[in-house]
Amino acid sequence: MATYALQIAGLVLGGVGMVGTVAVTVMPQWRVSAFIGSNIVVFENLWEGLWMNCMRHANIRMQCKIYDSLLALSPDLQASRGLMCAACVLSFLAFMAAVLGMKCTRCTGDDEKVKGYILLTAGVVFIVTGLVVLTPVSWVANSIIRDFYNPIVDIAQKRELGEALYIGWTTALVLISGGALFCCVSCCSEKSGSYRYSIPSHRATQKSYHMEKKSPSVYSKSQYV
C-alpha cells in the first residue's frame, strides 16, 4: 500500500513537472523590463521570452511579436529554446513510461520486476529532465544579473528576472523529486522481491526436517545388517 502511494505521488509530481515545463517554454516572461534610474515608464512592461516579445500597456492592452530570426536572439536564449524543447519531449516520455510502470496498469502484465525497471527508467528520465530545465533557466538568470550590474550596459537595456524563471526553478525541483520517488520505489520493490525469494517458508522448512527424520541414514542401516 505504501509503495502504491509513493507511485501515485511520483506520478502527480511528474505530471505537474511536465505541465510546468511546457508552461515555462511558451511563457514570454523570461526577461522583464527593469524600472531603474530614469527608466520609470511604469505604464509599459516589456517581456522577452524564447519565442516572442510582448509589450503591455497600462495593464489594458498587450501586443506580442514573434522573433523574425533565431539568429537575432542572444546565445543564451538560442540554447534555452533547444534545451526547453528537449525537456518537453523528455518529460512526456518519462510520464508515459511512469504510467506504464504503475501497479494498477495491466497492459504491461503483472510482472513486478519488469514494472520496477520501467519505473526506474521513468525516474532517471525525470531527473535528467529536471537538470535540463534547470540549465537554461539558471543560464538566462545569470546573464540577466550580470548585465544588470554591468555599468557598461545601458539602463534601457537592463532586464530583471521574469516569472518564467521562478516557475522553471520550481518545475526542475518538482521533476527531480518525482524522479527520486520513482527510483526509490523501484529499488524498494527489487529488494523486497529478492528477500521474498531468498528466504524459504516455514512450512517448507518443517517438511524438510520431517523427511530427514524419517529417512534413516546409511550408517544406521549398516549397523542393523
Side-chain angles (χ1 to χ4, degrees), residues 175-191:
L175 288 169
I176 294 174
S177 301
L181 276 179
F182 280 126
C183 291
C184 292
V185 168
S186 176
C187 294
C188 293
S189 299
E190 186 176 354
K191 287 182 180 179

Side-chain angles (χ1 to χ4, degrees), residues 7-183:
Q7 289 182 2
I8 294 295
L11 188 65
V12 171
L13 290 176
V16 172
M18 180 182 64
V19 174
T21 303
V22 176
V24 172
T25 304
V26 300
M27 285 179 65
Q29 295 96 332
W30 281 64
R31 294 176 171 177
V32 298
S33 54
F35 303 110
I36 56 176
S38 59
N39 188 24
I40 54 175
V41 187
V42 294
F43 56 85
E44 288 185 355
N45 290 329
L46 178 62
W47 298 341
E48 297 178 4
L50 300 180
W51 310 95
M52 66 186 74
N53 55 6
C54 299
M55 180 71 71
R56 188 175 183 182
H57 302 277
N59 296 328
I60 299 175
R61 186 181 59 180
M62 184 173 63
Q63 296 177 345
C64 295
K65 180 184 178 182
I66 300 176
Y67 297 122
D68 297 328
S69 174
L70 176 64
L71 300 178
L73 298 176
S74 58
D76 54 347
L77 289 182
Q78 292 181 13
S80 299
R81 181 185 286 191
L83 288 173
M84 291 305 299
C85 290
C88 291
V89 175
L90 288 175
S91 63
F92 177 75
L93 294 177
F95 184 79
M96 295 306 297
V99 171
L100 293 177
M102 292 291 290
K103 196 172 183 180
C104 57
T105 306
R106 299 301 179 188
C107 60
T108 54
D110 296 330
D111 193 351
E112 297 294 335
K113 190 174 183 180
V114 174
K115 289 189 175 182
Y117 287 141
I118 295 175
L119 286 180
L120 181 61
T121 304
V124 172
V125 177
F126 270 130
I127 293 175
V128 172
T129 306
L131 296 177
V132 173
V133 173
L134 187 64
T135 301
V137 170
S138 301
W139 189 0
V140 173
N142 179 62
S143 65
I144 292 173
I145 296 173
R146 186 183 65 246
D147 293 340
F148 188 85
Y149 291 105
N150 190 357
I152 301 177
V153 179
D154 188 22
I155 294 179
Q157 300 297 325
K158 292 184 178 182
R159 299 291 181 261
E160 290 183 354
L161 304 178
E163 292 85 353
L165 299 181
Y166 297 103
I167 299 176
W169 282 318
T170 306
T171 299
L173 180 61
V174 169
L175 288 169
I176 294 174
S177 301
L181 276 179
F182 280 126
C183 291

